[in-house]
Structures are given as C-alpha cells and as structure tokens.
Amino acid sequence: MSKRFNRIPERSPVARRRGRPRRTVAPLTAVSVLVAGAALTGCGQQRDGDVYTVLNSSTDETYHRWDAEAMARCGKRLGVTIEQQSVPAAQVMTKALRMASSKSLPDIVQFDASEMPTFAEAGGLVDLKTLGLSTRDIPRGIVNFGSYKGTYYGAARSVNTLALFYNKDILDQAEVKVPTTWDELRKAAKKLTGGRRYGLALSAGGAEDGVFQFTPFMWSNGGDETRLDGPQVVGALDYWKALLADGSLSKSTVSWTQADVNDQFMAGNAAMMINGPWQVETLNTKKSLHWGIAKIPVPRAGAPSVGPLGGAVLTVPNTGDTAREKRAGEIVACLASRKEQLTYALNSWMVPANAKAAAVWRTRVPELDALADQVAAARSRTAKLGAGWPSVSLALQSAFQSALTGQSSEAALKRAQQRATSGN
C-alpha cells in the first residue's frame, strides 16, 4: 500500500505505538469527593483571563504539534491563548483528580471516552449543550460515545475502531480470499499458519487492549456486557480458544498488547491481525509491506460486524466559573468543528466524528473505507454500563487469562460475571 500523505514519522518506536493504553481505575467515591469539592468552592487559582488550558494525552511529538497548531488557529479565531498540558494517557484521570483536589482544574480535559463517565457521574463535567454545542451531523453512536445518562459531556474530534488487517502478498501467494465470516477466518488462519508465521495475531492480554479486541467477537455474536456468562459471550471466547488450539494464534497472545500485535504483523510473523488505525503510520514505514484492511469477520454471513468505538472526547470541567466554562465551550466547539476534525483525522488516520467531514475523509483515504464502515456500526463500551464499565473490563481480563491457558470459557466467564457484579 502506498503512503498517501508521504509523511516522515518523527516519533520513537515506543511513542508512535498508538495501541490502547493500560489505565488505572479510580474509585468512584474518591472521584466524587474531589470533583464535588472543586465545583462547590470554585477555582482556587488566579487565572489569566485570556489564557485557557487543555489537559490531554498528546505526549507524542507529532500529536502534540498537531494539537498546538489547532489550538493556535482556534485561539486566534476566538481572541484567546490556548495552552496544552500533556501527560501519558494512563495519567489523565489521576492528573485531573490531583488538580481537582488543589482547585486548579484546567478549562478543558480530553478524557478517553471510557473514563469520561466516571468524572461525569461525580458531577465534575458541564453539559456541552448548555454551552451551545450542537450534535447535528454527528451519528447517534458517536453522540452516545460522548454522553452519560443521556447528557452530552464529551465532544469527539475523531473516533477509531478495530478492523482486520491482512498481508496482501501472503494471502495472494496462498490463494486465500479475505475472510468475512468466522468459519472463513478460522480456515484462512489455519492455512496461512506455517513455520514462524501465524495465520492471525490479536491481543488477549490482561489489560484494556484485550478487552477492546474481544468486544467485536462478543457483540457480533449477540453477547452483552451485562451478562458475561451468557452463551453468546461464552461462544465468542470459545472461538478464540479454537483459534489457539488450531495453532493459528501464538500462545503469547495472552500477553500481547496491540502494539506487540502490530510488531508481529510487520515482521511477517502474522498473515493477518486485528488492530486499529493508530498503527497505519507505523505500517507505512515499511515500504515492502503491502497490506489491506477489511471489516472484522462475523459469526454468520450477513450479520453486522459490531466493533468498539475508541478515542477521546473534549470535556469542560465543572469549576463554578460559568464565564470561563462558556468560553471553554467555544474552544471545544472550534476544536471539534468540521474543518478541524478533518485536518486532525487526516493527520492521525482516525475517522472524523462529524458525518460530513467523514464523507470527505473517505474520498481522501479510500483505502481505509472499510474502517469508516466499521465505525458506522461501532458501539461505545460504556453505553450500557457507564461508570460500571471498568469492573467488567477487569473481570474480562482475568477471564481471558484463565480460559486461554486451560480453564473452560464457561467457568472463566461465570467467575467474571461474579467479579463484575460484586466488584471483587
């Protein structure tokens, strides 16, 4: 596949891996105490009236620069200065909590969408619609992605999901068609396995990476995160076990992150992989690698391929300073505008949240069209459980480790449901 934007990667091998990070789950009670205190007492710090701060996870040099350029454009348009404070993604929540405790919350926080409900549940965020933001031209699934209990707290600039990446040369040489169903995927993966090469690579590690990768199999099979021991969820995990038993997956699958999966694919040790668009820039550094992308195969032909929505949302913390909150809302509206979304998405290979921007994006990167189709049917992990998602995620992580190393899927998921329900 040819590079469309001909960019030269500027990040280090570690920094440019955009797989989903390991996250620390903050207890809801602690969050409630801290953010409630901040909201009730207002901002404890004197602030420059024309300087606004955004807390984000743009620690990679290129992402930091792209955000700085967008903030400079919006700052000029609004007559303010916008500065970013960037910390590793796994530290955004803890940093926000520390700032809340010292009554120095930033004007805008870019949360991972899976973490946003925890802050919202504690009363720490402002309804963006009250600040004038509209959800027109944003697909319902993406509006829900930034909402909690029906209130729109987080504006997404771009979203991502998972897809099936495949090595065109390997599939062509083996005369294997791109699989569309589970049966086809299992047969293809088995045929493509040989020597040092596995037919498929995916992440089943004991972290959010593995859970993110399991959701397309669980949801497309009719499973539900509210009943982890249901037959559809068991069936999805049994499918992973079957791939492992076939030898089509490496035994190291239980410890791989999504970045590890990408490394295996790029090294030629996997003919196919489940991964996301954050890997595209890295994939394009290997000019001899000809890869394609398709929707994740489904249990039965014609069934919808339902993947997880990933990405971050821009939120306005509830500080009690309504004037600054209003201005912060204008900044969010600018950063999440159709034009800025398209610019950001073309830089990052993500899909714009705005449907009209996404339509233009498709014409600019037609090779990723399947990803846009996958996004259209994708779901938010927190849509049903809100702040309860972290408990389910931790329970599933434990279930993968047990089931893929010998325990039955039924027993592992029964224990997972008990853990998710009890919180232990």
Side-chain angles (χ1 to χ4, degrees):
M1 176 177 169
S2 62
K3 284 181 74 174
R4 181 157 297 270
F5 297 109
N6 200 30
R7 295 193 306 271
I8 300 174
E10 301 175 21
R11 283 171 270 174
S12 67
V14 173
R16 69 173 177 247
R17 292 171 179 167
R18 302 294 298 175
R20 302 201 60 78
R22 298 170 186 267
R23 298 186 180 278
T24 302
V25 180
L28 181 58
T29 51
V31 177
S32 299
V33 170
L34 291 172
V35 301
L40 288 172
T41 57
C43 299
Q45 232 179 31
Q46 278 299 112
R47 304 191 186 207
D48 187 326
D50 293 325
V51 178
Y52 288 76
T53 304
V54 179
L55 175 64
N56 63 23
S57 60
S58 298
T59 53
D60 293 354
E61 189 278 331
T62 45
Y63 278 79
H64 194 83
R65 173 166 48 82
W66 295 335
D67 276 336
E69 291 168 353
M71 291 174 194
R73 288 190 294 268
C74 286
K76 184 176 181 180
R77 197 172 307 159
L78 296 170
V80 297
T81 299
I82 308 170
E83 299 176 346
Q84 60 180 324
Q85 295 181 20
S86 301
V87 299
Q91 297 176 22
V92 171
M93 175 63 84
T94 53
K95 174 74 172 177
L97 290 175
R98 285 197 300 269
M99 296 176 83
S101 68
S102 63
K103 303 178 180 61
S104 60
L105 276 166
D107 299 289
I108 296 164
V109 178
Q110 181 173 289
F111 282 115
D112 182 271
S114 66
E115 293 183 329
M116 178 274 293
T118 302
F119 224 77
E121 172 76 16
L125 300 176
V126 179
D127 180 351
L128 294 183
K129 288 189 175 180
T130 67
L131 301 180
L133 275 81
S134 170
T135 55
R136 189 177 63 180
D137 297 328
I138 303 176
R140 173 52 51 186
I142 299 178
V143 173
N144 292 340
F145 180 67
S147 300
Y148 179 62
K149 292 186 176 179
T151 301
Y152 185 56
Y153 291 112
R157 289 183 292 171
S158 65
V159 292
N160 61 66
T161 190
L162 295 167
L164 179 72
F165 289 73
Y166 57 93
N167 186 310
K168 291 182 176 181
D169 293 337
I170 292 175
L171 266 67
D172 287 346
Q173 289 166 10
E175 297 183 339
V176 170
K177 292 183 179 180
V178 179
T180 60
T181 66
W182 281 9
D183 282 345
E184 291 176 0
L185 177 61
R186 187 174 179 184
K187 289 175 183 176
K190 195 169 185 178
K191 185 173 182 179
L192 294 167
T193 296
R196 293 172 55 87
R197 187 182 70 213
Y198 292 92
L200 179 66
L202 56 80
S203 168
E208 188 69 16
D209 280 34
V211 178
F212 197 66
Q213 295 227 329
F214 183 66
T215 54
F217 295 88
M218 175 174 72
W219 289 337
S220 296
N221 201 38
D224 195 301
E225 55 268 39
T226 62
R227 189 188 169 194
L228 299 182
D229 55 353
Q232 296 90 347
V233 186
V234 172
L237 189 50
D238 274 342
Y239 182 73
W240 272 16
K241 284 172 68 75
L243 291 170
L244 191 64
D246 288 345
S248 300
L249 292 178
S250 167
K251 292 181 179 179
S252 298
T253 292
V254 295
S255 61
W256 280 348
T257 65
Q258 292 179 130
D260 296 326
V261 168
N262 194 59
D263 287 344
Q264 296 299 318
F265 183 74
M266 290 188 70
N269 296 331
M272 301 178 288
M273 71 169 176
I274 305 295
N275 228 313
W278 50 85
Q279 308 292 7
V280 169
E281 188 173 5
T282 309
L283 290 171
N284 281 342
T285 63
K286 188 172 183 178
K287 305 212 183 271
S288 62
L289 177 62
H290 305 117
W291 56 272
I293 188 171
K295 290 195 289 187
I296 296 175
V298 293
R300 295 162 296 281
S305 182
V306 185
L309 272 177
V313 291
L314 295 167
T315 68
V316 176
N318 177 12
T319 62
D321 188 333
T322 55
R324 286 191 73 92
E325 290 169 2
K326 180 70 174 176
R327 193 58 144 174
E330 293 172 356
I331 293 170
V332 170
C334 180
L335 292 173
S337 65
R338 182 170 149 189
K339 183 178 179 180
E340 290 296 341
Q341 280 193 27
L342 183 59
T343 299
Y344 187 79
L346 289 172
N347 278 332
S348 64
W349 301 94
M350 306 299 178
V351 182
N354 181 287
K356 291 183 177 178
V360 176
W361 180 87
R362 282 177 184 258
T363 67
R364 299 282 292 276
V365 282
E367 62 268 40
L368 296 184
D369 198 56
L371 186 71
D373 290 337
Q374 190 85 61
V375 161
R379 283 176 48 189
S380 166
R381 287 162 288 163
T382 59
K384 289 191 174 184
L385 299 177
W389 170 260
S391 294
V392 166
S393 177
L394 290 172
L396 278 173
Q397 292 167 30
S398 178
F400 300 156
Q401 300 297 297
S402 298
L404 296 179
T405 55
Q407 191 175 33
S408 72
S409 299
E410 188 174 9
L413 288 168
K414 183 176 181 180
R415 173 59 181 150
Q417 180 60 39
Q418 292 171 345
R419 288 189 63 182
T421 302
S422 66
N424 297 319

